[in-house]
Amino acid sequence: MAKIKLHKIKMFMLLSITLILVITIIKGSSGISHTEKKIPVAVKGVLDLRNWDFKKDGMIKLNGGWEFYDNKLIMPQDFQSMPLETIRYEKLPGVFGQEGYCTYRLKLLIDNQDELYSVKINFIQNAYELWADNKLITSAGQVGKSKNEMIPENVPASGSFYVENEETYLVLRVSNFYNKYGYIDTLVLGEAKEITAIREGKIASSLFIIGCTIMAAIYSFGLFINRRKEKAQLYFAIICLIIAIRTLFIGEGLFFSLLPSFNYIFSTKIKIWTFYGYIPFIILFIDSSYEKIMSRKVVKISNYLGLVYTLSVIFIPVKYYLYFIAPFEVFALTLLFYMMCKICKICMQDEQVDYVVVVGLFALFITRINDILYEYSIIITDSFASKGILIFIIVNYYVLAKRQANELSNIENSSAKLKSLNELKDDFLAVTSHELKTPLNGIVGLTEGIVNNKYDDLDVELREDLFLVNSSAKRLSNLVNDMMIFSKDRKSVV
């Protein structure tokens, strides 16, 4: 009981530390301002930043009430002729309704006119243009008033501008005809060099994850090719490959930097599939790694749901994805929690199981909850599931490496014991051969002397018996000689 209680305390402390670290990372990555000032928000289409020092206070989210013009794509120069009574206000980030198009406008009040500012856009469905005064500073796809007019593209972007006369109007033109609802994520304003540094940091992080997962996939798949019964290595390689593919398409969209004209529908299906697709393989990996700890029924259900999810992504139109993803996400979180409980139970009973496996699953569990809430715009953070799965991969790679090291140590110990036993056997053969050789030589000599030189009065039957003893002794002597030669050859080889 005392040992089980100690295991529980260790597990609780590890999970608590992991929770604190992951939440701190998420909060630190999501917070872009580093000041104790009250952060200003837009009110009725105006964001007053005249008391905001971008060098000391950091960047700022362009949250709050923007001017909103539904079913209108207005150019910046056309606002002068717009009647005031047509102005509505909507909060960003948020949803601008179902399929359609609209225009947002925000007035920025900024004192410093010498600095180059940038606006960072992470996600807007499905095409947009961002203007600063009368200048187009960034865009994705092509906005339009119908599905035929617009060209969808979901990639992060940023655009830079200078402030003139202490004010600038940002105009955001958006159109969405490929999803049920049009989501607009947080827009971030800051100095151009700081926005660039953030983008470069995210690219470096993505490249690091891709590099780690691809190397892990190649190594694990190589182990499986050479040792086919190690199914866990195959499942681990597939997990790493799926994460590498997903990382290419999310974040800063590295894949689109290489192929900017890549098909929107196909890329969206890849992002949606990789959002859940690795979960069944995690189930199979854990089940194979820990000697079938998972219920057979759970494993089968996971496999069937993975197949159903894949077929749904392939055949269901993109606009309906929101309706069928949620149940799979609930099931994925349930499975992760189930695996954690199973491994925790083993940890309580068996000291050989590594606690870090639970830490990897717990980190994945937390970051996945964050991503689900982020995807549905319930919280405004960022996508962290790739970081969670990277922790899971590193942890399990450590466990696999530790197992292989233990197996090699066991083989080395067994080899040393076998070598010692083999030396004892050779010594035994040498001593036994020598001890047998002397009496056998005496028997051969005596029988030959009796038969050939003495006792002529021996009867025929006794003489034949002596001949038989002599020949048997010679055969045994030859066998002993062979044993001695073999023992000497073995020692020379070793």
Side-chain angles (χ1 to χ4, degrees):
M1 289 295 294
K3 186 179 289 187
I4 292 176
K5 187 176 181 180
L6 180 62
H7 287 326
K8 287 182 178 179
I9 293 172
K10 286 182 179 179
M11 187 66 66
F12 177 76
M13 291 180 64
L14 272 174
L15 294 182
S16 299
I17 293 170
T18 304
L19 179 63
I20 293 170
L21 286 175
V22 172
I23 291 178
T24 302
I25 291 170
I26 291 174
K27 187 177 180 181
S29 301
S30 304
I32 58 173
S33 304
H34 38 80
T35 181
E36 296 182 358
K37 286 183 183 179
K38 182 179 179 181
I39 298 176
V41 295
V43 178
K44 291 187 176 182
V46 179
L47 181 58
D48 191 347
L49 299 175
R50 285 174 292 189
N51 293 323
W52 188 264
D53 189 334
F54 285 92
K55 294 187 183 298
K56 294 181 179 179
D57 302 329
M59 298 173 291
I60 190 167
K61 297 177 180 179
L62 301 181
N63 295 347
W66 289 51
E67 295 180 15
F68 177 69
Y69 304 88
D70 195 17
N71 292 321
K72 293 179 181 179
L73 290 177
I74 306 171
M75 293 297 292
Q77 60 270 21
D78 296 333
F79 277 96
Q80 296 178 357
S81 59
M82 294 289 297
L84 295 177
E85 60 270 15
T86 61
I87 299 177
R88 287 172 48 195
Y89 300 98
E90 291 288 339
K91 289 186 177 181
L92 290 185
V95 180
F96 62 84
Q98 300 185 3
E99 296 179 7
Y101 51 93
C102 63
T103 302
Y104 290 87
R105 189 170 78 145
L106 178 66
K107 182 179 181 180
L108 298 176
L109 300 177
I110 302 175
D111 284 336
N112 190 348
Q113 302 181 46
D114 298 326
E115 190 65 51
L116 178 64
Y117 297 97
S118 288
V119 176
K120 177 106 171 56
I121 300 173
N122 288 323
F123 179 79
I124 294 179
Q125 288 177 328
N126 297 108
Y128 61 86
E129 294 176 355
L130 181 63
W131 298 71
D133 293 327
N134 294 321
K135 178 186 176 184
L136 178 65
I137 59 173
T138 190
S139 64
Q142 178 179 306
V143 296
K145 295 183 178 181
S146 67
K147 193 171 183 178
N148 293 329
E149 288 184 16
M150 73 165 288
I151 299 175
E153 187 179 10
N154 276 348
V155 293
S158 60
S160 302
F161 63 93
Y162 284 100
V163 176
E164 297 179 3
N165 300 322
E166 297 187 356
E167 66 178 35
T168 292
Y169 282 95
L170 296 180
V171 176
L172 179 65
R173 292 159 31 101
V174 184
S175 58
N176 165 52
F177 290 94
Y178 285 82
N179 293 83
K180 187 67 175 176
Y181 298 98
Y183 289 97
I184 299 179
D185 202 354
T186 299
L187 280 69
V188 177
L189 174 66
E191 294 180 347
K193 56 186 178 183
E194 197 167 3
I195 295 290
T196 302
I198 287 180
R199 182 175 183 276
E200 291 175 349
K202 288 186 175 182
I203 290 174
S205 175
S206 296
L207 289 173
F208 177 74
I209 293 173
I210 293 169
C212 289
T213 50
I214 288 178
M215 291 299 295
I218 292 172
Y219 180 76
S220 296
F221 189 69
L223 288 177
F224 171 73
I225 290 294
N226 291 282
R227 191 174 170 83
R228 294 297 178 90
K229 70 176 186 179
E230 293 286 346
K231 293 289 183 67
Q233 297 288 352
L234 175 63
Y235 301 138
F236 192 71
I238 294 173
I239 294 168
C240 294
L241 188 61
I242 292 174
I243 296 305
I245 293 171
R246 176 166 178 77
T247 307
L248 277 172
F249 282 86
I250 63 172
E252 292 301 312
L254 294 175
F255 185 85
F256 300 106
S257 300
L258 302 173
L259 295 173
S261 59
F262 192 76
N263 184 269
Y264 168 80
I265 299 296
F266 189 51
S267 65
T268 302
K269 286 180 180 289
I270 290 175
K271 285 190 279 189
I272 294 295
W273 182 77
T274 55
F275 192 58
Y276 176 85
Y278 58 85
I279 295 295
F281 293 105
I282 290 180
I283 300 292
L284 292 170
F285 169 70
I286 295 294
D287 189 52
S288 299
S289 298
Y290 296 96
E291 298 179 355
K292 312 297 181 184
I293 66 168
M294 310 285 287
S295 164
R296 297 297 92 204
K297 187 178 292 185
V298 170
V299 175
K300 285 183 179 179
I301 291 173
S302 172
N303 292 338
Y304 289 140
L305 284 179
L307 179 61
V308 170
Y309 185 83
T310 301
L311 294 174
S312 300
V313 171
I314 293 172
F315 295 107
I316 293 179
V318 173
K319 66 169 64 178
Y320 299 114
Y321 281 169
L322 282 176
Y323 296 101
F324 78 84
I325 286 179
F328 286 97
E329 285 304 322
V330 172
F331 184 70
L333 292 175
T334 304
L335 285 177
L336 290 173
F337 186 76
Y338 172 75
M339 285 188 286
M340 283 192 293
C341 292
K342 280 287 187 180
I343 297 177
C344 283
K345 187 176 180 181
I346 294 177
C347 288
M348 304 301 173
Q349 302 169 351
D350 187 1
E351 294 184 1
Q352 299 301 318
V353 178
D354 293 281
Y355 292 100
V356 291
V357 176
V358 185
V359 171
L361 285 170
F362 190 54
L364 178 59
F365 181 78
I366 298 170
T367 54
R368 195 163 184 85
I369 290 176
N370 171 82
D371 272 33
I372 292 170
L373 299 177
Y374 172 70
E375 289 291 333
Y376 286 92
S377 296
I378 297 173
I379 60 174
I380 306 301
T381 54
D382 204 344
S383 177
F384 286 94
S386 295
K387 278 79 173 177
I389 196 68
L390 179 63
I391 295 172
F392 174 81
I393 288 171
I394 292 173
V395 162
N396 282 278
Y397 218 66
Y398 163 77
V399 172
L400 291 174
K402 186 177 179 181
R403 286 183 181 178
Q404 290 177 357
N406 290 337
E407 289 175 1
L408 287 173
S409 298
N410 292 334
I411 291 172
E412 288 174 352
N413 293 334
S414 299
S415 298
K417 290 179 181 178
L418 288 173
K419 187 177 180 180
S420 177
L421 290 173
N422 193 54
E423 290 175 353
L424 288 174
K425 179 204 69 177
D426 290 340
D427 292 340
F428 173 76
L429 285 175
V431 172
T432 305
S433 301
H434 184 269
E435 294 297 326
L436 288 174
K437 183 73 174 173
T438 301
L440 284 173
N441 287 336
I443 293 171
V444 171
L446 287 173
T447 53
E448 285 181 349
I450 294 171
V451 172
N452 296 327
N453 300 319
K454 301 177 181 179
Y455 311 111
D456 293 337
D457 58 342
L458 289 175
D459 59 36
V460 175
E461 186 176 350
L462 183 56
R463 190 179 294 275
E464 289 178 354
D465 289 341
L466 288 171
F467 270 119
L468 182 61
V469 171
N470 183 266
S471 62
S472 297
K474 285 180 177 180
R475 284 198 301 272
L476 284 174
S477 180
N478 291 333
L479 180 61
V480 170
N481 286 334
D482 292 339
M483 290 172 62
M484 293 178 71
I485 293 170
F486 174 76
S487 179
K488 289 179 181 178
D489 291 343
R490 286 280 301 164
K491 286 185 177 181
S492 64
V493 171
V494 173

